[in-house]
Amino acid sequence: MGGAVSRLEETDWKTVTGKLTRSKETIDGSQPTKSYGVYYLHKIGKNQREYHVTDENLNLLYSSRMIDGTLAWFDVLGPGLNEFLLRVQVDLSRRYWVIYSYGSPSYAGQFADMTATNRLRQERGEESPCLYKKACITVTWSRYHAIINRYGPPPEE
């Protein structure tokens, strides 16, 4: 991973694609950064989907945890105890990555993805929150490019 100076202020928000409509929108709802940051991935356990993400001072920012019974799915957790933020569903070819949020819709009136929610409730019990689609990442066959599209409300008629 590398770092670069943010060019957020240079973005022409009227012409960009990807369904981000304002400079304050991010996948996880956090505020956008004004400059680059240095983050470290620390492998934990033996599974390929389990990491801790820390800053330069080794403060835990995020961790990822594999989802049992899947080949490539994982959860992204915050620094708090069992602070589930996102679930990432990856297809077998690793080309399509669907990102879900725990309990928070992407837009007003969004319906929960009941297929993903029912799977979560089978794993963790009926009190588990609903899962809402946030974005889909499509990786090209060459693996050099990816497109991310956020889920948003249907167009007005």
Side-chain angles (χ1 to χ4, degrees), residues 105 107-112 132:
Y107 56 90
Q110 182 183 17
F111 292 108
Y132 295 90

Side-chain angles (χ1 to χ4, degrees), residues 20-132:
L20 292 176
T21 57
R22 295 187 329 265
S23 62
K24 300 232 181 267
E25 291 184 5
T26 61
I27 293 296
D28 65 357
S30 299
Q31 290 296 315
T33 59
K34 295 187 186 272
S35 62
Y36 73 90
V38 177
Y39 304 103
Y40 297 98
L41 285 173
H42 303 275
K43 184 82 179 97
I44 56 173
K46 295 182 179 180
N47 188 284
Q48 67 177 356
R49 294 165 277 157
E50 295 185 342
Y51 292 90
H52 283 177
V53 180
T54 64
D55 62 14
E56 292 179 282
N57 299 320
L58 299 181
N59 296 312
L60 180 65
L61 303 174
Y62 300 102
S63 61
S64 62
R65 183 183 302 167
M66 66 174 264
I67 298 172
D68 289 330
T70 69
L71 294 176
W73 296 17
F74 59 93
D75 284 320
V76 178
L77 292 83
L81 184 63
N82 288 327
E83 182 185 345
F84 289 90
L85 302 175
L86 302 170
R87 172 163 281 203
V88 181
Q89 174 186 335
V90 184
D91 75 324
L92 293 178
S93 67
R94 311 299 198 270
R95 288 200 61 227
Y96 302 104
W97 300 53
V98 179
I99 302 169
Y100 298 91
S101 67
Y102 278 86
S104 59
S106 297
Y107 56 90
Q110 182 183 17
F111 292 108
D113 183 309
M114 292 315 296
T115 302
T117 298
N118 289 337
R119 181 182 175 95
L120 175 67
R121 290 179 176 167
Q122 287 174 349
E123 295 169 24
R124 297 201 200 128
E126 290 299 318
E127 70 283 351
S128 297
C130 291
L131 291 174
Y132 295 90

